[in-house]
Amino acid sequence: SKVLFVTTANQLDTIPEPLLDRMEVIRLSGYILEEKVEIAKRYLIPRQLKEQGFGPKEVKFTDKAIRLIADKYAREAGVRNLEKQIRKIVRKLTLISTETGQKTFTVNPKKVEEYLGKPIFTTEKLYPKPIPGVVLGLAYTAYGGATLYIEARGIRGASGFRQTRQLGKVMQESSEIAYSYVRSILSEGKEPNKYFEEHQVHLHVPAGATPKDGPSAGITMALALYSLATGKAVKAGIAMTGELTLTGKVLPIGGVKEKTIAAKRVGIKELIIPIDNKRDFEELPDYIREGITVHFADYFDDVLKVAYS
C-alpha cells in the first residue's frame, strides 16, 4: 500500500481507460529539433565514437546531417532513437575503416541517406494553391507535432455526413459538432445557404493509416466544411488548432510548442490558436516564436475573420 509506481509512455491512447483513470498524468514536452541537434553534438555522437573506437577528430557530423537524422529518421519526442540512428552510421564507418583503412570521415546529408536508407518521416507537402474545402490543421502525435490536411467534398443529390481515415471517437464527435454548427450558421439569415440540404458531405483526414484522435481539430473541420459550402478557399499559408463547441466557442488545446514547430517545419508563418492558449504561446522560447504571426480565437467568428482577411 505504500508503493508508488512511476511509469512512462509516449502516448495515452494505448493505455486501458480503467488503468489511466487511476493515474496522475504528468505531460513532459519533448525535445525540439534544435535541442536534439545540440544533444547529439555534445553527448550522443562523442559517446558513440568512443564506443566504436574512433577518436573525437576522426569523424565529423555536419549540422545539416544531424538535423536530417533528427527530423527524417528520429522524430519522436526523446533522443533514444536518434542515438540508435547515429550508432548505425558509426558502425558502418567502423566497417569501412576496417575494410579500406580509411581513418577520417565526414558525414553529410548525402552520406546519411546512403547509410540509413530512405527517410522514415516525410514532411507534409503544402497544396500549391488554396482549394475550397481543404484546410491545414495542427496535430500532436507520439512523435511530436504534425501538420494534417482536412478535406471536405460534397456529393450532389442527397444530404448526409460521413467521415473516413481512422478517426477516433473524440475526433468523430468533433466532426459532427463542426458539421452541425456550420450547417446551423449557414442556414440563418435572409439568404440561407442550402448546400448541406443538396449534398452529402464527406470529411476526410489523410496521412495514411495513422489512427487520429484528440480534441483539437474542431475549428479546422468546421472551417473546411464552411469553405466547401461557400465555395471560398481559405487563404494560403495558414494553419490552425482548437476545439469547437456547438455554440461556436473555441476551446483550448495541448501541445502548443510541438504544433508551432510542426508549422514552421513546412514553412507556415501564420497560426490560429485558442485565446486560452495565449499564455502557452507567449512562454515559448523566442527562437520558436520567431517569424510566426499568431491569431488568438475566442469564437469561430474570429477564425473566419483571419481565414478570409
Side-chain angles (χ1 to χ4, degrees), residues 286-303:
D286 291 341
Y287 60 86
I288 295 179
R289 292 187 287 119
E290 184 179 1
I292 294 285
T293 300
V294 178
H295 306 277
F296 300 103
D298 191 16
Y299 284 89
F300 189 68
D301 286 345
D302 301 322
V303 177

Side-chain angles (χ1 to χ4, degrees), residues 71-125:
D71 189 37
K72 302 296 184 181
Y73 297 88
R75 197 178 281 181
E76 80 285 349
V79 294
R80 181 173 53 195
N81 199 40
L82 176 58
E83 184 168 23
K84 182 179 178 181
Q85 300 302 327
I86 292 171
R87 184 185 300 117
K88 285 183 181 180
I89 293 174
V90 177
R91 284 179 174 175
K92 290 189 177 183
L93 297 182
T94 303
L95 178 61
I96 294 172
S97 179
T98 302
E99 293 177 341
T100 66
Q102 183 177 344
K103 296 299 181 182
T104 59
F105 299 88
T106 297
V107 181
N108 54 35
K110 185 178 180 181
K111 291 294 183 181
V112 168
E113 294 196 15
E114 179 183 330
Y115 298 144
L116 297 181
K118 186 179 179 180
I120 299 172
F121 301 97
T122 57
T123 300
E124 180 78 62
K125 292 185 178 179

Side-chain angles (χ1 to χ4, degrees), residues 3-255:
V3 176
L4 175 66
F5 291 92
V6 180
T7 64
T8 62
N10 289 332
Q11 60 190 71
L12 300 180
D13 300 353
T14 53
I15 301 175
E17 293 222 2
L19 175 60
L20 183 61
D21 188 52
R22 288 164 173 78
M23 289 180 164
E24 180 70 29
V25 179
I26 302 174
R27 296 180 181 272
L28 300 177
S29 182
Y31 296 116
I32 64 173
L33 183 60
E34 287 78 6
E35 291 168 340
K36 286 185 175 183
V37 170
E38 286 302 313
I39 291 171
K41 288 166 66 175
R42 298 185 191 186
Y43 304 104
L44 306 184
I45 293 174
R47 181 162 61 200
Q48 289 306 314
L49 293 180
K50 183 178 180 181
E51 287 184 4
Q52 303 304 321
F54 283 108
K57 296 184 179 181
E58 292 179 339
V59 178
K60 178 185 178 182
F61 282 75
T62 66
D63 285 357
K64 288 184 178 180
I66 301 172
R67 292 179 69 90
L68 178 64
I69 298 169
D71 189 37
K72 302 296 184 181
Y73 297 88
R75 197 178 281 181
E76 80 285 349
V79 294
R80 181 173 53 195
N81 199 40
L82 176 58
E83 184 168 23
K84 182 179 178 181
Q85 300 302 327
I86 292 171
R87 184 185 300 117
K88 285 183 181 180
I89 293 174
V90 177
R91 284 179 174 175
K92 290 189 177 183
L93 297 182
T94 303
L95 178 61
I96 294 172
S97 179
T98 302
E99 293 177 341
T100 66
Q102 183 177 344
K103 296 299 181 182
T104 59
F105 299 88
T106 297
V107 181
N108 54 35
K110 185 178 180 181
K111 291 294 183 181
V112 168
E113 294 196 15
E114 179 183 330
Y115 298 144
L116 297 181
K118 186 179 179 180
I120 299 172
F121 301 97
T122 57
T123 300
E124 180 78 62
K125 292 185 178 179
L126 301 180
Y127 279 88
K129 63 178 182 179
I131 301 173
V134 178
V135 180
L136 185 63
L138 299 170
Y140 181 78
T141 70
Y143 300 104
T147 52
L148 207 64
Y149 272 109
I150 291 181
E151 305 172 342
R153 190 80 174 180
I155 305 167
R156 182 181 288 276
S159 62
F161 180 64
R162 67 188 295 251
Q163 325 99 322
T164 53
R165 212 46 148 178
Q166 291 262 44
L167 302 186
K169 289 183 179 179
V170 174
M171 212 163 174
Q172 287 179 25
E173 290 181 356
S174 294
S175 67
E176 291 167 5
I177 290 171
Y179 176 76
S180 296
Y181 174 74
V182 173
R183 185 167 183 173
S184 71
I185 63 172
L186 290 180
S187 64
E188 299 169 352
K190 295 180 180 179
E191 297 182 8
N193 186 308
K194 296 184 179 181
Y195 186 91
F196 294 110
E197 297 175 13
E198 300 169 352
H199 295 78
Q200 181 187 54
V201 175
H202 186 167
L203 189 74
H204 181 66
V205 185
T210 305
K212 307 163 192 75
D213 204 6
S216 66
I219 65 171
T220 316
M221 291 175 167
L223 188 57
L225 294 170
Y226 184 92
S227 172
L228 174 69
T230 59
K232 297 189 296 183
V234 174
K235 69 179 182 180
I238 190 168
M240 64 205 64
T241 179
E243 194 49 275
L244 188 69
T245 71
L246 268 177
T247 58
K249 176 73 174 174
V250 179
L251 300 180
I253 46 82

